[in-house]
PDB file of all heavy atoms in Angstrom:
ATOM      1  N   THR A  55       7.742   2.623  11.239  1.00  0.00           N
ATOM      2  CA  THR A  55       7.625   3.164  12.591  1.00  0.00           C
ATOM      3  C   THR A  55       6.267   3.792  12.879  1.00  0.00           C
ATOM      4  O   THR A  55       5.742   3.672  13.974  1.00  0.00           O
ATOM      5  CB  THR A  55       8.732   4.214  12.814  1.00  0.00           C
ATOM      6  OG1 THR A  55       9.997   3.564  12.727  1.00  0.00           O
ATOM      7  CG2 THR A  55       8.611   4.892  14.152  1.00  0.00           C
ATOM      8  N   LEU A  56       5.688   4.442  11.883  1.00  0.00           N
ATOM      9  CA  LEU A  56       4.465   5.223  12.095  1.00  0.00           C
ATOM     10  C   LEU A  56       3.371   4.727  11.164  1.00  0.00           C
ATOM     11  O   LEU A  56       3.596   4.540   9.961  1.00  0.00           O
ATOM     12  CB  LEU A  56       4.747   6.707  11.828  1.00  0.00           C
ATOM     13  CG  LEU A  56       3.573   7.677  11.959  1.00  0.00           C
ATOM     14  CD1 LEU A  56       3.060   7.733  13.390  1.00  0.00           C
ATOM     15  CD2 LEU A  56       3.994   9.076  11.477  1.00  0.00           C
ATOM     16  N   SER A  57       2.176   4.536  11.715  1.00  0.00           N
ATOM     17  CA  SER A  57       1.033   4.067  10.917  1.00  0.00           C
ATOM     18  C   SER A  57       0.828   4.954   9.687  1.00  0.00           C
ATOM     19  O   SER A  57       0.868   6.185   9.772  1.00  0.00           O
ATOM     20  CB  SER A  57      -0.228   4.084  11.778  1.00  0.00           C
ATOM     21  OG  SER A  57      -1.370   3.867  10.984  1.00  0.00           O
ATOM     22  N   MET A  58       0.592   4.309   8.546  1.00  0.00           N
ATOM     23  CA  MET A  58       0.353   5.040   7.300  1.00  0.00           C
ATOM     24  C   MET A  58      -1.117   5.393   7.112  1.00  0.00           C
ATOM     25  O   MET A  58      -1.465   6.117   6.176  1.00  0.00           O
ATOM     26  CB  MET A  58       0.820   4.203   6.104  1.00  0.00           C
ATOM     27  CG  MET A  58       2.285   3.874   6.113  1.00  0.00           C
ATOM     28  SD  MET A  58       2.703   2.863   4.655  1.00  0.00           S
ATOM     29  CE  MET A  58       4.408   2.424   5.030  1.00  0.00           C
ATOM     30  N   THR A  59      -1.987   4.866   7.959  1.00  0.00           N
ATOM     31  CA  THR A  59      -3.429   5.038   7.734  1.00  0.00           C
ATOM     32  C   THR A  59      -4.151   5.769   8.861  1.00  0.00           C
ATOM     33  O   THR A  59      -5.103   6.502   8.609  1.00  0.00           O
ATOM     34  CB  THR A  59      -4.096   3.672   7.526  1.00  0.00           C
ATOM     35  OG1 THR A  59      -3.824   2.830   8.652  1.00  0.00           O
ATOM     36  CG2 THR A  59      -3.560   2.998   6.262  1.00  0.00           C
ATOM     37  N   SER A  60      -3.733   5.574  10.091  1.00  0.00           N
ATOM     38  CA  SER A  60      -4.445   6.195  11.221  1.00  0.00           C
ATOM     39  C   SER A  60      -3.969   7.638  11.412  1.00  0.00           C
ATOM     40  O   SER A  60      -3.165   8.156  10.655  1.00  0.00           O
ATOM     41  CB  SER A  60      -4.203   5.383  12.490  1.00  0.00           C
ATOM     42  OG  SER A  60      -2.869   5.559  12.935  1.00  0.00           O
ATOM     43  N   SER A  61      -4.453   8.262  12.485  1.00  0.00           N
ATOM     44  CA  SER A  61      -4.085   9.655  12.763  1.00  0.00           C
ATOM     45  C   SER A  61      -2.854   9.784  13.655  1.00  0.00           C
ATOM     46  O   SER A  61      -2.474  10.892  14.039  1.00  0.00           O
ATOM     47  CB  SER A  61      -5.265  10.379  13.428  1.00  0.00           C
ATOM     48  OG  SER A  61      -5.628   9.724  14.639  1.00  0.00           O
ATOM     49  N   ALA A  62      -2.208   8.686  14.001  1.00  0.00           N
ATOM     50  CA  ALA A  62      -1.015   8.748  14.851  1.00  0.00           C
ATOM     51  C   ALA A  62       0.034   9.679  14.235  1.00  0.00           C
ATOM     52  O   ALA A  62       0.192   9.732  13.008  1.00  0.00           O
ATOM     53  CB  ALA A  62      -0.440   7.343  15.021  1.00  0.00           C
ATOM     54  N   TRP A  63       0.786  10.389  15.116  1.00  0.00           N
ATOM     55  CA  TRP A  63       1.780  11.340  14.597  1.00  0.00           C
ATOM     56  C   TRP A  63       2.929  11.501  15.583  1.00  0.00           C
ATOM     57  O   TRP A  63       2.758  11.317  16.795  1.00  0.00           O
ATOM     58  CB  TRP A  63       1.141  12.684  14.306  1.00  0.00           C
ATOM     59  CG  TRP A  63       2.001  13.615  13.478  1.00  0.00           C
ATOM     60  CD1 TRP A  63       2.593  14.766  13.882  1.00  0.00           C
ATOM     61  CD2 TRP A  63       2.345  13.455  12.096  1.00  0.00           C
ATOM     62  NE1 TRP A  63       3.289  15.341  12.850  1.00  0.00           N
ATOM     63  CE2 TRP A  63       3.155  14.549  11.731  1.00  0.00           C
ATOM     64  CE3 TRP A  63       2.050  12.483  11.130  1.00  0.00           C
ATOM     65  CZ2 TRP A  63       3.673  14.721  10.446  1.00  0.00           C
ATOM     66  CZ3 TRP A  63       2.567  12.639   9.857  1.00  0.00           C
ATOM     67  CH2 TRP A  63       3.363  13.742   9.521  1.00  0.00           C
ATOM     68  N   ILE A  64       4.080  11.846  15.024  1.00  0.00           N
ATOM     69  CA  ILE A  64       5.284  12.128  15.814  1.00  0.00           C
ATOM     70  C   ILE A  64       5.630  13.592  15.587  1.00  0.00           C
ATOM     71  O   ILE A  64       5.762  14.033  14.432  1.00  0.00           O
ATOM     72  CB  ILE A  64       6.448  11.213  15.390  1.00  0.00           C
ATOM     73  CG1 ILE A  64       6.041   9.746  15.520  1.00  0.00           C
ATOM     74  CG2 ILE A  64       7.695  11.507  16.214  1.00  0.00           C
ATOM     75  CD1 ILE A  64       6.984   8.779  14.835  1.00  0.00           C
ATOM     76  N   PHE A  65       5.789  14.347  16.650  1.00  0.00           N
ATOM     77  CA  PHE A  65       5.994  15.801  16.561  1.00  0.00           C
ATOM     78  C   PHE A  65       7.409  16.204  16.990  1.00  0.00           C
ATOM     79  O   PHE A  65       8.146  15.429  17.619  1.00  0.00           O
ATOM     80  CB  PHE A  65       5.018  16.522  17.502  1.00  0.00           C
ATOM     81  CG  PHE A  65       3.577  16.489  17.075  1.00  0.00           C
ATOM     82  CD1 PHE A  65       2.763  15.418  17.425  1.00  0.00           C
ATOM     83  CD2 PHE A  65       3.021  17.533  16.355  1.00  0.00           C
ATOM     84  CE1 PHE A  65       1.428  15.397  17.067  1.00  0.00           C
ATOM     85  CE2 PHE A  65       1.683  17.521  15.992  1.00  0.00           C
ATOM     86  CZ  PHE A  65       0.883  16.450  16.349  1.00  0.00           C
ATOM     87  N   ASP A  66       7.717  17.454  16.684  1.00  0.00           N
ATOM     88  CA  ASP A  66       8.880  18.155  17.247  1.00  0.00           C
ATOM     89  C   ASP A  66      10.176  17.376  17.024  1.00  0.00           C
ATOM     90  O   ASP A  66      10.447  16.956  15.908  1.00  0.00           O
ATOM     91  CB  ASP A  66       8.638  18.429  18.735  1.00  0.00           C
ATOM     92  CG  ASP A  66       7.291  19.085  19.003  1.00  0.00           C
ATOM     93  OD1 ASP A  66       6.964  20.036  18.278  1.00  0.00           O
ATOM     94  OD2 ASP A  66       6.559  18.622  19.896  1.00  0.00           O
ATOM     95  N   ASP A  67      10.959  17.190  18.081  1.00  0.00           N
ATOM     96  CA  ASP A  67      12.213  16.447  17.996  1.00  0.00           C
ATOM     97  C   ASP A  67      12.093  15.070  18.627  1.00  0.00           C
ATOM     98  O   ASP A  67      13.099  14.472  19.034  1.00  0.00           O
ATOM     99  CB  ASP A  67      13.344  17.232  18.665  1.00  0.00           C
ATOM    100  CG  ASP A  67      13.891  18.315  17.743  1.00  0.00           C
ATOM    101  OD1 ASP A  67      14.234  17.981  16.592  1.00  0.00           O
ATOM    102  OD2 ASP A  67      13.971  19.486  18.158  1.00  0.00           O
ATOM    103  N   ALA A  68      10.887  14.563  18.724  1.00  0.00           N
ATOM    104  CA  ALA A  68      10.688  13.212  19.246  1.00  0.00           C
ATOM    105  C   ALA A  68      11.260  12.201  18.259  1.00  0.00           C
ATOM    106  O   ALA A  68      11.266  12.424  17.043  1.00  0.00           O
ATOM    107  CB  ALA A  68       9.206  12.957  19.473  1.00  0.00           C
ATOM    108  N   LYS A  69      11.736  11.081  18.791  1.00  0.00           N
ATOM    109  CA  LYS A  69      12.388  10.058  17.969  1.00  0.00           C
ATOM    110  C   LYS A  69      11.793   8.688  18.261  1.00  0.00           C
ATOM    111  O   LYS A  69      11.663   8.297  19.420  1.00  0.00           O
ATOM    112  CB  LYS A  69      13.890  10.051  18.234  1.00  0.00           C
ATOM    113  CG  LYS A  69      14.568  11.395  17.933  1.00  0.00           C
ATOM    114  CD  LYS A  69      16.005  11.418  18.387  1.00  0.00           C
ATOM    115  CE  LYS A  69      16.617  12.775  18.110  1.00  0.00           C
ATOM    116  NZ  LYS A  69      16.018  13.846  18.949  1.00  0.00           N
ATOM    117  N   VAL A  70      11.465   7.960  17.203  1.00  0.00           N
ATOM    118  CA  VAL A  70      10.943   6.596  17.311  1.00  0.00           C
ATOM    119  C   VAL A  70      11.774   5.725  16.376  1.00  0.00           C
ATOM    120  O   VAL A  70      11.894   6.032  15.185  1.00  0.00           O
ATOM    121  CB  VAL A  70       9.457   6.523  16.940  1.00  0.00           C
ATOM    122  CG1 VAL A  70       8.932   5.108  17.119  1.00  0.00           C
ATOM    123  CG2 VAL A  70       8.644   7.506  17.790  1.00  0.00           C
ATOM    124  N   CYS A  71      12.369   4.654  16.908  1.00  0.00           N
ATOM    125  CA  CYS A  71      13.281   3.877  16.071  1.00  0.00           C
ATOM    126  C   CYS A  71      13.314   2.409  16.478  1.00  0.00           C
ATOM    127  O   CYS A  71      12.554   1.969  17.336  1.00  0.00           O
ATOM    128  CB  CYS A  71      14.687   4.476  16.125  1.00  0.00           C
ATOM    129  SG  CYS A  71      15.416   4.517  17.771  1.00  0.00           S
TER     130      CYS A  71
END
Side-chain angles (χ1 to χ4, degrees):
T55 297
L56 178 64
S57 170
M58 299 179 188
T59 56
S60 72
S61 59
W63 193 249
I64 303 167
F65 289 86
D66 310 314
D67 280 308
K69 301 172 182 67
V70 182
C71 60

